[in-house]
Amino acid sequence: MPNSKTYRILSLDGGGSWALIQVKCLRKLFAETFNAPDPTGHEVLAKFDLVAANSGGSLVAAAMAENLRLSEIEKIFDDEKLRSKVFSRLSFFEKSLLSSAARIFKIGAKYATKRKHQALKEILPKISRLDLMQVPEYVAVDGHIKTQFLIIGYDYYRNRAEMFRTDCDSLASTSVIEKKLKNLPPVTQSPSDCLVSLVDAIHASSTAPVNYFNEPAMFKVNHKLKYYWDGGVTGNNNPILTAVTEAICNREQYEIEHIQVLSIGTGTVSQLQYDEEIPVKYNELKAKYEEPGLIKDIQKMGTSILNDPPDTAAFVAYMILNASMPAKPVDFIRMNPVLRPMMVSNANGKHWDLPAGISKDEYVALNAMDMDAVEDKEVSLINKLCDNWLNNSGIPNQAIRSDSSLNCLIGHPDFDTAQADFKSWFTVAN
């Protein structure tokens, strides 16, 4: 049961425009758990001790830090003009000859990194002026400083993950570990990764390479120009494993007795093998067989940061906190709509079919849709997928582990089941 020593984590996956799902999910959770249909960002953040986020999820986290209402954050993703500011297309003259040629094979950058940075500053003007270390005090409700942030980027030249923390005393930080192990005297200067703005951190975290932005995010850290790609390159598009590690490192100094996790994704797709033996109603439910080759491999690697590593992270983090492997962990909640085939059994036997409420054309379109969904018709489909999931109308919840029929083995099979466990966290005064 929740107690004064409970440490709550909100983990937000990357996923570009699909991060709209996270906002809609939080709106429903807070409406039905706290009777708050449109809370401010600070009201949401006050329920958590740590918010870990990557890419599109980091934009949601930063917008909450700005104290926008969830309806206002939803508009950032729903409004085509605002989306197009973040995903600002390169003009013909901004593309190199090589990049233009590569786009023939659907490879190469489409968006301007520098214009994204400027758009983030315009959308989030208040926090763009705050260093990371100032954010917890800014988001505090009633003067109670509680919520810390952890944003993940990829250091372009060092080829290493960069953890942008608001907690400069975190025992997961290299500089703090060094001081502790070497018994160094305390210093007044804060670690350099706390001396960048939250907007700069999310700019780093959301600059996806290869098929998306034309150059790394660039800004000064400790007076030195640094270059960053999206944190998903580190395998942390789902940052939950990093978040759990952060909590465990600080368990002693913050007297943490119990960890609760709410991990919200941005939608995922699970297809059948191309040689699936059980009858399939539509061939589109199976992965298309394609011969491996240079172009195809580059295309796959350009989007691989959204796929298996984040799924693995959820299971590893779950096992760290749940060694007994409960089938439905009340305190580890993964919430994410999964577009997948559904096993149907009837008098004629078994076969795979579409999820309820989704047509074949919609399934194909969603399956093919990239994270940079900027057109209204694309976002409309994401909304439909999300609403179907939120209302338990056919789209299941992503399991931490699934069985051979793709049904939930570990985790929560649907949104309602997951929401019920989230509500249970707050049955005792928090």
Side-chain angles (χ1 to χ4, degrees):
M1 296 295 289
N3 57 64
S4 59
K5 305 294 185 179
T6 294
Y7 187 90
R8 294 195 179 107
I9 295 171
L10 173 62
S11 176
L12 301 171
D13 290 18
S17 302
W18 293 70
L20 167 65
I21 290 169
Q22 296 169 337
V23 188
K24 292 170 72 74
C25 176
L26 286 168
R27 285 193 74 176
K28 181 153 187 175
L29 286 177
F30 273 69
E32 299 190 6
T33 304
F34 306 107
N35 194 28
D38 192 18
T40 66
H42 291 185
E43 289 170 340
V44 174
L45 295 172
K47 301 297 182 184
F48 300 94
D49 298 278
L50 175 66
V51 177
N54 185 65
S55 198
S58 72
L59 175 54
V60 174
M64 289 194 290
E66 183 77 7
N67 207 27
L68 299 179
R69 290 191 176 274
L70 291 186
S71 61
E72 295 173 307
I73 303 173
E74 195 171 329
K75 185 179 178 182
I76 295 173
F77 297 97
D78 264 335
D79 189 307
E80 188 170 11
K81 288 184 179 179
L82 288 175
R83 289 196 307 271
S84 296
K85 280 189 172 184
V86 176
F87 291 103
S88 177
R89 286 196 174 273
L90 295 166
S91 70
F92 175 81
F93 297 102
E94 290 177 304
K95 298 177 183 177
S96 67
L97 183 61
L98 177 61
S99 177
S100 296
R103 286 307 307 164
I104 297 173
F105 303 101
K106 298 182 179 180
I107 299 169
K110 294 175 279 186
Y111 307 109
T113 300
K114 288 185 174 67
R115 287 201 290 275
K116 172 169 72 76
H117 197 191
Q118 183 58 39
L120 293 174
K121 291 177 180 178
E122 292 173 5
I123 294 169
L124 308 167
K126 296 174 184 175
I127 60 166
S128 68
R129 298 189 291 268
L130 297 177
D131 285 336
L132 283 172
M133 61 189 297
Q134 298 172 310
V135 172
E137 183 176 1
Y138 179 73
V139 305
V141 174
D142 297 327
H144 179 55
I145 299 175
K146 175 181 180 179
T147 310
Q148 300 288 348
F149 290 75
L150 176 64
I151 308 297
I152 304 171
Y154 175 80
D155 189 311
Y156 182 85
Y157 282 109
R158 293 180 62 246
N159 294 319
R160 294 289 185 274
E162 181 78 70
M163 305 299 172
F164 295 100
R165 294 180 175 87
T166 57
D167 184 1
C168 298
D169 297 318
S170 171
L171 280 168
S173 168
T174 300
S175 59
V176 178
I177 293 172
E178 183 179 17
K179 282 187 286 185
K180 180 178 180 179
L181 295 182
K182 293 183 179 180
N183 293 316
L184 298 176
V187 293
T188 55
Q189 185 179 4
S190 299
S192 61
D193 57 0
C194 291
L195 297 176
V196 299
S197 74
L198 183 54
V199 164
D200 283 346
I202 67 168
H203 179 48
S205 184
S206 61
T207 304
V210 186
N211 279 352
Y212 305 102
F213 289 93
N214 66 329
E215 58 186 347
M218 291 175 276
F219 51 85
K220 288 187 177 181
V221 179
N222 203 21
H223 308 296
K224 295 180 181 179
L225 188 63
K226 299 290 290 287
Y227 296 71
Y228 298 99
W229 281 129
D230 190 303
V233 177
T234 69
N236 287 294
N237 195 58
N238 174 357
I240 186 54
L241 182 56
T242 301
V244 167
T245 303
E246 188 84 8
I248 290 173
C249 286
N250 291 294
R251 180 171 260 160
E252 183 177 341
Q253 75 164 332
Y254 296 145
E255 299 180 335
I256 299 170
E257 293 181 0
H258 190 63
I259 297 172
Q260 293 178 320
V261 171
L262 174 61
S263 170
I264 309 179
T266 55
T268 189
V269 176
S270 181
Q271 286 188 285
L272 302 170
Q273 281 283 97
Y274 64 86
D275 56 355
E276 171 63 36
E277 295 180 354
I278 296 175
V280 177
K281 188 170 183 179
Y282 302 101
N283 284 330
E284 288 81 0
L285 298 174
K286 296 191 291 185
K288 183 180 178 182
Y289 177 78
E290 295 176 296
E291 284 287 344
L294 178 61
I295 300 300
K296 176 54 62 178
D297 290 350
I298 293 174
Q299 290 172 344
K300 287 182 75 68
M301 288 300 98
T303 58
S304 65
I305 61 174
L306 299 172
N307 298 318
D308 186 65
D311 289 353
T312 302
F315 179 69
V316 174
Y318 157 83
M319 285 304 305
I320 290 172
L321 297 178
N322 297 275
S324 61
M325 202 180 293
K328 189 173 76 67
V330 173
D331 293 324
F332 193 104
I333 302 171
R334 174 65 173 168
M335 303 186 82
N336 194 25
V338 54
L339 182 72
R340 66 168 177 83
M342 306 297 289
M343 177 72 78
V344 177
S345 298
N346 54 32
N348 297 320
K350 296 180 179 180
H351 71 276
W352 293 102
D353 204 344
L354 294 164
I358 300 294
S359 71
K360 185 183 77 169
D361 288 344
E362 289 169 339
Y363 186 96
V364 171
L366 284 163
N367 186 28
M369 198 181 299
D370 210 338
M371 71 173 188
D372 56 332
V374 292
E375 296 183 13
D376 280 340
K377 64 180 181 180
E378 294 176 319
V379 176
S380 178
L381 266 182
I382 295 172
N383 269 309
K384 180 172 182 178
L385 174 77
C386 184
D387 290 341
N388 182 308
W389 169 63
L390 293 175
N391 295 313
N392 272 20
S393 299
I395 294 295
N397 188 54
Q398 183 186 24
I400 296 170
R401 270 291 183 268
S402 300
D403 63 18
S404 58
S405 297
L406 302 183
N407 293 318
C408 180
L409 193 62
I410 299 174
H412 299 81
D414 52 56
F415 179 86
D416 283 356
T417 307
Q419 179 178 240
D421 278 347
F422 177 76
K423 286 182 178 180
S424 75
W425 292 6
F426 303 94
T427 54
V428 174
N430 54 352

